[in-house]
Amino acid sequence: MADSLIKLEGVTKVFLTDEVETHALSGIHLDIRQGEYVSIAGPSGCGKSTLLSILGLLDSPTEGAYLLNGRPVQGLSLPERARIRNREIGFIFQSFNLIGDLTVFENVELPLTYRGMPAAERKSAALEALEKVGMGHRAKHLPSQLSGGQQQRVAVARALAGKPAVLLADEPTGNLDSKNGDSVMQLLAELHKGGATIVMVTHDTRFARHAERTVHIFDGRVVQEQVESARN
Amino acid sequence: MSDLKFAFRTLAKTPGFTIVAVLTLALAIGVNSAVFALLNGVVFKPVVPLRPDEIVNLFTAKQGASHDYRQFSYAEFQTLREAKDTFADVSAVQYSLAGVGRDEGIRRSFAFFTSENFFPMMGTTPALGRFYTAEECRPNANAMVLVTSYSFWQRMGGRPDFVGSTLRVNGQPFTVIGVTRDGFSGLNAILAPDLWVPLGVFARFSAAFSDGSGLPDLANPKNYTLNLVARLAPGVTRETLAPRLPALAQRLTAIQPPDSAGPRELQAESPSRFSISTSPSNDGSTTFMTVGLFSMAGCVLVIASINLANMLLARGAARSKEIALRLALGATRWRVIRQLLAEGLLLALAGGTLGLLVSLWANDLLIQSISGLFSSMNFSLVVHMQPDAAVLAFTFVFCLLATLLFSLGPALRASNVDLVHDLKQQGGEPTAAGRLTRFFAPRHCLVMAQIALSLALLFSAGLFLRGALKAGGINPGFDPTGCAVGELDYSLANTSADDAKRSLFAAIDRLQALPGVQSVGVGTMLPYGNLTNTARVMSAQEAPVAKTDPNAPTPGFNALYSATTPGYFDSIGVRLLRGRDFTRNEATSKESPAVAIVDTLLAERLFPKGDALGQHIRFTQKPTDGSSGEMEIVGICAPHRHDPISARDLGRLYVPFAHAFNSNVFVHVRLASRDEAVTLAMLPTIRTALRQLDPDLPLIQLSTYASLVNKSIGLWVVRLGAILFGTFGAIALVLAVVGVYGVKAYAVARRTREIGIRMALGAHPRDVFGLVMKQGALQTALAVAVGLALSLGVGRLLSRLLYEVSPSDPFALLGSAALLAAAALLACYLPARRATKVNPVTALRAE
Ligand SMILES: Nc1ncnc2c1ncn2[C@@H]1O[C@H](COP(=O)(O)OP(=O)(O)OP(=O)(O)O)[C@@H](O)[C@H]1O
Ligand SMILES: [Mg+2]
């Protein structure tokens, strides 16, 4: 068995609002290997997005350990976490989350600028990512000038551009019709074939089948792991 | 009504917004109505109650020598009064000081002597009792009656039996026969005399003013002491008056006594609102100051409106989604607009109410400052600075319109938008906007305009502040520390000149003997005081100019003129550079040889080539007492300033006290110690010593010279300028900071989602901080650049009012720019800090 890229040990997340404790995650154990395609499923409110935020270092667990590349990430400073997010993680959101003032190209280039990459390198990396998702011809457009499916492709390109260790996608097809959804899923599948590690939250069992493994969560716990063996 | 109730609930839900908006409105309305109230009281309100346009002051000058003014004689007054085809009436006024009360309680007040027709001509009636009659005003009638001002009556207790009571004025009993109406001040807009006295008492009243060499008798044809005010006859206008004046001047020339100097000229001018003068004076700089104040108030109003506009625009934009939702749910556009208008109305009402309070308070402060000054000058202030209803209404309506306009703007825009677009929009992020468009978005442009305007105001404040500091820190050339000054006015006690002289020298000897006293000297004019005497002198070698040639240049030089006793220079701390001080004999005896001391300034003017010491000079006008007017210069002293404002352009001339007696004198006591506390502690000792000598000594004031210097009008004016402009500058600064903060905080709130996205993509906290600060800094820099250009323009406009400060003073310029930029950046800093604290999970979750 190859080394885990991501290892969660007894991760718990408790939200405290108005004296009410919400146990969003209760003792999650999870191992994700390099190059794996994992889908996370479960009913609304079970903690899928919370799990993804923790994986993406946007949030920290209340308890438990998180090892990324074998290295514990608890206790890292804000700038260090920002650095890891920037280099190791690519986010894809349900609502695309492109920045409206920036062109398609600038959106894709943005994570690279936070790395201090020289402009010429940035340009080739961003264009390469755009070509990969088939949006190279729309580089100068503003997000508002694109369809939803196109916007999500750009978002995928933005997540890819920095060649992150893992892509985290939270219901990437949730805002898309089935045709556009299919094509985005196709894109992710191709990326996986190219070696990308992907963790994707989805309700849609149709899309979950794209993944090698589906983790079912119920009420903050992993209830079932199911390996998609027979595909194609 | 339900709209208002709902509006109230909405506003209460955002207390921060509501409080800042209401305070902004209150400041704008309050400050404006206070300034308007001040200007209305001082500058705009007509002074003369009845048809003020018909009233003119008359002046007469020697024909051809247009600046050689003198007042009128009683005979001239009568002649002009008969010119009924030109003047409906002419009345005479004399300005004088009088001591009211007795002994310790003596207070110096202005008393105006007028002819009986003065009051009816002004169109006023008594508030109480009656005004005086023609009989009482006949020369030498000596009817011991007087009328007091309304405020004087109030100060005396305001009792109804005041009329008929007896008042001691200059040591003589007068019967009060009437009280003028509240606010009546004669011709002046702000200063009213306490006492109005019939012209016929003048001779008796003023007997003690000089040593008898003057001519108090009104019937004397050479007694030119009357100032004339006229009302134009029906049908005569200011334009048609001018051609009639030469004929009247001829009539004046015809009645001159045989040995008088040449034909007369007659001039008519609108009365000055602010000064009391025996020659024409204009109100130009006051008017200019007024315009300045107006513009400042206007700027504050504009800045406040910009703030308001920004806040309302931001609020409107933030609510565009809510509005779109309500429209989608079926609300009519009119309903939505009505709703927003109700909110604007409510804001304006709350701001207006608070503004009224602010303006009352600001008025109080102004009145206190001004009346404090005037009471030290023995005038009663008649300005009524209640906030004027019209003014309040005006500012309120202005703010109401501004509020409604700006709440309506977004309302119209918001309710006009494409519903689908707005509902689809995420977190209110403008979609099609480029960065440049965002940089120059209306609210950012408004804030930049606000910063630029505020900078101009701050810069003006800086200029005045620099002036005030300079004026306060200027070396006057004399030394007020360690010096006590007592003012005596013997005319108030009706003491004869000889008695006064005896009393004064006894006082000098007594004070000289006090332990700790180094020297004592008396002068008739106080440097940095509120009184100025000048005389014109020339070298005695120069031939007097023939009277017959009116076009010859006036010979000699004007000089500040004062009579002193030995020890005066030591006492005020001015060095006698060469020669000697006056002797006791010269100071006490009029028969002693005529000598003079001049300062180096006058010495160099009179004798540019040779040595002035030992030279002879003489007055250009022969003294009325029959002496030759020729003097030998026996001493030369160092020059020193007379007031902190105007440049030192007049030299000084001193003569021995006995040679130019004046009943109003300043006694300078120089102490061995230079400690101000010691000087202050010495005052009671001085007072007691003087009282022991003569309990009736008319000691008007006794204080340290340093405190008098501090209170001088010149300094007060510069400081008032600094305070007024400083206040406006401070308000502008606060408003600008609030404006910048509001817009930045709003921008950050609007961009929360974007910030969350950037953080998810790996932006460092400092990247996020920089994102907000960079834009703020660029906008501030642009605004400051525009503001600097604006400031230079404003500085040029203000240059007339500035004191010893260049209109482009680099300190004020850099200082105000730095202050404003720092404040603006601080206002950006807080929202930028908040941006780094954005929680990306919540930001991304937010829909
Ligand atoms: N910031 C927060 N404060 C308080 N409670 C929270 C917070 N974020 C999430 N929760 C709670 O944690 C639980 C899990 O939320 P999460 O968003 O992870 O659910 P989810 O599985 O993604 O649901 P969905 O499929 O509807 O997106 C929910 O009960 C939610 O109410
Ligand atoms: Mg979710």
Side-chain angles (χ1 to χ4, degrees):
Chain A
M1 207 179 195
D3 281 345
S4 324
L5 175 65
I6 286 172
K7 191 174 179 66
L8 295 185
E9 285 173 354
V11 163
T12 298
K13 180 72 188 179
V14 180
F15 291 109
L16 242 182
T17 25
D18 301 330
E19 310 287 314
V20 178
E21 284 190 3
T22 311
H23 290 261
L25 298 175
S26 334
I28 298 268
H29 293 272
L30 194 65
D31 252 307
I32 296 171
R33 279 169 288 114
Q34 179 78 46
E36 235 186 328
Y37 189 164
V38 177
S39 119
I40 296 174
S44 179
C46 70
K48 305 181 296 288
S49 296
T50 307
L51 179 61
L52 227 54
S53 307
I54 288 175
L55 291 181
L57 270 72
L58 287 175
D59 214 341
S60 343
T62 318
E63 262 175 60
Y66 173 15
L67 288 95
L68 184 65
N69 266 327
R71 184 177 166 218
V73 296
Q74 291 106 304
L76 291 181
S77 69
L78 279 179
E80 277 171 309
R81 294 170 72 87
R83 211 190 130 266
I84 294 175
R85 275 203 300 274
N86 183 246
R87 287 170 187 260
E88 314 286 350
I89 292 160
F91 280 103
I92 301 163
F93 303 96
Q94 174 177 358
S95 50
F96 326 142
N97 276 339
L98 298 177
I99 293 172
D101 286 347
L102 304 182
T103 62
V104 161
F105 174 78
E106 286 165 334
N107 263 288
V108 175
E109 184 192 30
L110 191 61
L112 305 178
T113 58
Y114 290 136
R115 237 177 241 206
M117 189 184 272
E121 260 180 72
R122 278 200 320 252
K123 187 167 178 189
S124 65
L127 287 178
E128 190 191 325
L130 279 173
E131 288 301 340
K132 215 179 244 177
V133 301
M135 291 296 295
H137 59 300
R138 296 299 190 108
K140 295 221 168 74
H141 288 230
L142 285 172
S144 56
Q145 295 163 332
L146 304 180
S147 76
Q150 288 171 324
Q151 287 191 41
Q152 194 61 306
R153 283 166 173 278
V154 173
V156 172
R158 184 174 66 183
L160 284 179
K163 302 199 163 50
V166 58
L167 283 180
L168 302 178
D170 195 345
E171 300 192 36
T173 57
N175 277 10
L176 300 176
D177 57 27
S178 63
K179 189 174 144 273
N180 274 309
D182 280 340
S183 84
V184 167
M185 277 301 152
Q186 202 58 51
L187 184 59
L188 288 181
E190 278 162 27
L191 290 172
H192 173 234
K193 270 186 203 143
T197 313
I198 300 176
V199 181
M200 172 181 73
V201 170
T202 183
H203 281 300
D204 198 323
T205 45
R206 227 162 27 94
F207 294 140
R209 285 192 291 109
H210 282 275
E212 300 165 318
R213 177 156 72 107
T214 301
V215 176
H216 289 274
I217 296 184
F218 186 79
D219 214 4
R221 288 166 215 279
V222 179
V223 290
Q224 186 193 3
E225 292 211 25
Q226 170 191 344
V227 180
E228 293 286 326
S229 42
R231 259 183 48 219
N232 293 339
Chain B
M1 203 58 234
S2 72
D3 275 336
L4 275 182
K5 228 192 283 176
F6 187 75
F8 187 81
R9 275 220 309 268
T10 323
L11 289 175
K13 257 193 282 179
T14 47
F17 165 85
T18 309
I19 287 170
V20 173
V22 166
L23 283 182
T24 304
L25 272 167
L27 261 182
I29 294 177
V31 167
N32 270 281
S33 87
V35 167
F36 275 99
L38 172 69
L39 298 180
N40 194 35
V42 174
V43 185
F44 298 118
K45 199 188 67 185
V47 179
V48 174
L50 179 73
R51 298 195 300 279
D53 291 345
E54 294 176 4
I55 298 292
V56 290
N57 274 341
L58 298 179
F59 298 97
T60 178
K62 203 155 77 176
Q63 209 176 70
S66 59
H67 288 295
D68 193 357
Y69 290 98
R70 65 154 168 79
Q71 288 143 285
F72 294 87
S73 71
Y74 192 78
E76 289 171 328
F77 165 45
Q78 293 302 326
T79 306
L80 289 174
R81 207 173 169 174
E82 279 151 24
K84 290 290 181 199
D85 51 336
T86 307
F87 301 124
D89 207 351
V90 178
S91 64
V93 188
Q94 265 172 326
Y95 314 123
S96 178
L97 277 167
V100 182
R102 58 163 69 192
D103 304 344
E104 291 258 16
I106 204 162
R107 186 181 181 279
R108 194 165 55 175
S109 293
F110 269 90
F112 285 7
F113 293 78
T114 71
S115 52
E116 79 289 349
N117 59 343
F118 182 75
F119 299 102
M121 195 175 100
M122 293 293 124
T124 189
T125 51
L128 225 63
R130 65 171 178 93
F131 292 140
Y132 27 81
T133 63
E135 174 50 29
E136 286 162 342
C137 289
R138 201 172 36 75
N140 307 321
N142 288 339
M144 306 295 277
V145 296
L146 54 73
V147 170
T148 78
S149 73
Y150 189 88
S151 63
F152 183 84
W153 173 48
Q154 291 300 315
R155 262 184 279 132
M156 299 296 283
R159 292 211 314 276
D161 62 355
F162 181 62
V163 170
S165 66
T166 302
L167 203 62
R168 251 191 128 69
V169 179
N170 280 11
Q172 300 175 58
F174 280 79
T175 305
V176 178
I177 56 167
V179 172
T180 61
R181 294 213 168 269
D182 190 12
F184 177 75
S185 56
L187 292 174
N188 199 281
I190 40 180
L191 304 173
D194 282 340
L195 308 178
W196 298 92
V197 193
L199 206 54
V201 197
F202 186 68
R204 175 118 176 231
F205 194 85
S206 58
F209 262 86
S210 59
D211 55 1
S213 57
L215 301 157
D217 185 357
L218 274 184
N220 186 322
K222 292 181 94 171
N223 185 7
Y224 305 113
T225 57
L226 300 179
N227 304 286
L228 299 188
V229 189
R231 182 179 286 281
L232 300 181
V236 178
T237 64
R238 301 294 303 277
E239 289 69 41
T240 56
L241 171 65
R244 295 164 181 253
L245 290 176
L248 291 175
Q250 262 175 19
R251 284 197 227 167
L252 291 188
T253 306
I255 61 161
Q256 296 306 307
D259 59 338
S260 48
R264 308 301 306 173
E265 204 176 87
L266 193 62
Q267 297 175 14
E269 303 284 341
S270 294
S272 160
R273 294 180 67 92
F274 307 109
S275 63
I276 290 176
S277 172
T278 54
S279 58
S281 58
N282 78 41
D283 298 337
S285 70
T286 324
T287 312
F288 188 72
M289 185 86 179
T290 306
V291 174
L293 272 177
F294 250 137
S295 327
M296 308 269 312
C299 275
V300 169
L301 196 62
V302 169
I303 292 176
S305 306
I306 289 179
N307 252 7
L308 212 60
N310 261 333
M311 296 180 66
L312 290 166
L313 281 175
R315 192 178 160 83
R319 289 168 68 186
S320 66
K321 201 166 168 188
E322 173 210 323
I323 289 167
L325 191 65
R326 283 167 59 187
L327 287 174
L329 292 177
T332 63
R333 175 164 303 174
W334 167 234
R335 248 206 88 85
V336 171
I337 289 173
R338 225 172 48 193
Q339 179 53 46
L340 291 168
L341 282 181
E343 279 180 38
L345 186 71
L346 215 57
L347 278 183
L349 279 175
T353 316
L354 205 61
L356 179 66
L357 296 177
V358 171
S359 105
L360 284 172
W361 172 76
N363 268 331
D364 245 37
L365 279 186
L366 271 175
I367 287 268
Q368 265 170 31
S369 168
I370 297 176
S371 60
L373 176 80
F374 287 157
S375 75
S376 76
M377 288 161 61
N378 315 303
F379 272 109
S380 296
L381 187 71
V382 291
V383 188
H384 286 255
M385 292 206 311
Q386 282 117 3
D388 188 88
V391 168
L392 266 179
F394 172 81
T395 25
F396 177 71
V397 167
F398 184 92
C399 286
L400 183 70
L401 286 181
T403 314
L404 293 186
L405 184 75
F406 292 122
S407 28
L408 196 57
L412 288 175
R413 211 189 53 188
S415 55
N416 219 357
V417 284
D418 162 19
L419 289 185
V420 184
H421 174 95
D422 247 40
L423 284 171
K424 211 172 74 179
Q425 214 187 19
Q426 316 237 334
E429 194 53 42
T431 38
R435 265 163 301 171
L436 205 63
T437 336
R438 182 151 84 182
F439 189 85
F440 287 107
R443 61 175 177 282
H444 289 303
C445 287
L446 284 176
V447 157
M448 288 191 264
Q450 188 181 17
I451 294 178
L453 265 181
S454 304
L455 178 55
L457 285 191
L458 263 189
F459 172 66
S460 325
L463 289 179
F464 278 87
L465 195 69
R466 291 264 294 158
L469 288 177
K470 274 203 178 153
I474 212 149
N475 177 11
F478 58 90
D479 182 9
T481 40
C483 182
V485 178
E487 183 178 2
L488 297 173
D489 192 341
Y490 286 100
S491 71
L492 306 187
N494 213 21
T495 319
S496 77
D498 283 340
D499 287 345
K501 250 184 275 179
R502 259 192 299 280
S503 156
L504 185 63
F505 279 97
I508 292 175
D509 292 341
R510 182 68 217 269
L511 293 175
Q512 192 91 65
L514 288 176
V517 170
Q518 209 166 53
S519 63
V520 179
V522 168
T524 53
M525 184 168 69
L526 182 73
Y528 276 38
N530 299 331
L531 199 84
T532 306
N533 289 319
T534 59
R536 202 173 179 86
V537 281
M538 58 197 278
S539 162
Q541 285 154 356
E542 258 180 80
V545 179
K547 272 182 194 164
T548 44
D549 181 4
N551 294 322
T554 340
F557 299 93
N558 265 328
L560 295 164
Y561 178 49
S562 174
T564 59
T565 67
Y568 172 80
F569 296 101
D570 289 342
S571 307
I572 69 164
V574 167
R575 278 198 307 143
L576 201 55
L577 300 172
R578 302 174 55 219
R580 62 166 177 90
D581 200 350
F582 299 131
T583 63
R584 176 73 171 232
N585 182 44
E586 285 162 349
T588 48
S589 158
K590 221 181 159 186
E591 274 62 54
S592 62
V595 291
I597 295 174
V598 297
D599 68 355
T600 48
L601 225 62
L602 186 62
E604 274 158 27
R605 282 186 194 157
L606 288 170
F607 303 100
K609 292 195 196 74
D611 186 0
L613 198 65
Q615 298 278 6
H616 285 256
I617 56 174
R618 68 159 162 265
F619 292 109
T620 51
Q621 273 187 336
K622 247 185 164 199
T624 44
D625 62 2
S627 63
S628 73
E630 222 177 278
M631 308 157 270
E632 183 193 342
I633 297 178
V634 295
I636 295 176
C637 69
H640 49 284
R641 296 185 78 99
H642 184 62
D643 76 78
I645 301 306
S646 44
R648 196 191 318 188
D649 57 349
L650 287 183
R652 285 183 178 270
L653 170 70
Y654 300 92
V655 298
F657 185 68
H659 290 252
F661 171 82
N662 191 315
S663 54
N664 187 191
V665 294
F666 300 90
V667 183
H668 299 260
V669 182
R670 158 99 20 215
L671 305 178
S673 163
R674 288 180 51 83
D675 186 347
E676 275 304 291
V678 172
T679 318
L680 204 61
M682 189 68 182
L683 296 181
T685 317
I686 295 175
R687 190 188 307 272
T688 315
L690 292 176
R691 287 281 171 236
Q692 279 170 359
L693 197 70
D694 175 5
D696 289 338
L697 203 70
L699 181 67
I700 297 165
Q701 59 171 341
L702 177 67
S703 50
T704 68
Y705 200 0
S707 73
L708 283 184
V709 163
N710 248 331
K711 272 194 286 191
S712 87
I713 304 186
L715 279 183
W716 183 83
V717 167
V718 175
R719 282 183 191 145
L720 183 73
I723 288 173
L724 280 178
F725 282 74
T727 308
F728 283 123
I731 291 176
L733 181 68
V734 168
L735 286 179
V737 167
V738 168
V740 172
Y741 175 80
V743 164
K744 282 296 158 203
Y746 169 69
V748 166
R750 251 173 96 91
R751 294 174 76 181
T752 305
R753 189 181 184 85
E754 179 195 328
I755 290 165
I757 298 172
R758 287 172 182 265
M759 284 180 152
L761 296 179
H764 273 234
R766 81 176 122 76
D767 292 322
V768 172
F769 183 77
L771 181 75
V772 179
M773 278 311 265
K774 203 173 95 192
Q775 195 193 40
L778 280 175
Q779 282 164 347
T780 304
L782 186 64
V784 165
V786 173
L788 282 177
L790 196 64
S791 296
L792 289 176
V794 169
R796 290 186 61 134
L797 284 178
L798 285 177
S799 56
R800 272 176 62 185
L801 294 176
L802 294 177
Y803 169 71
E804 299 227 328
V805 183
S806 146
S808 53
D809 182 68
F811 288 96
L813 210 54
L814 290 179
S816 51
L819 182 63
L820 193 69
L825 289 181
L826 183 72
C828 292
Y829 173 81
L830 296 175
R833 267 285 302 281
R834 187 171 320 144
T836 66
K837 299 270 151 59
V838 162
N839 178 350
V841 183
T842 354
L844 291 169
R845 174 190 297 271
E847 174 51 358

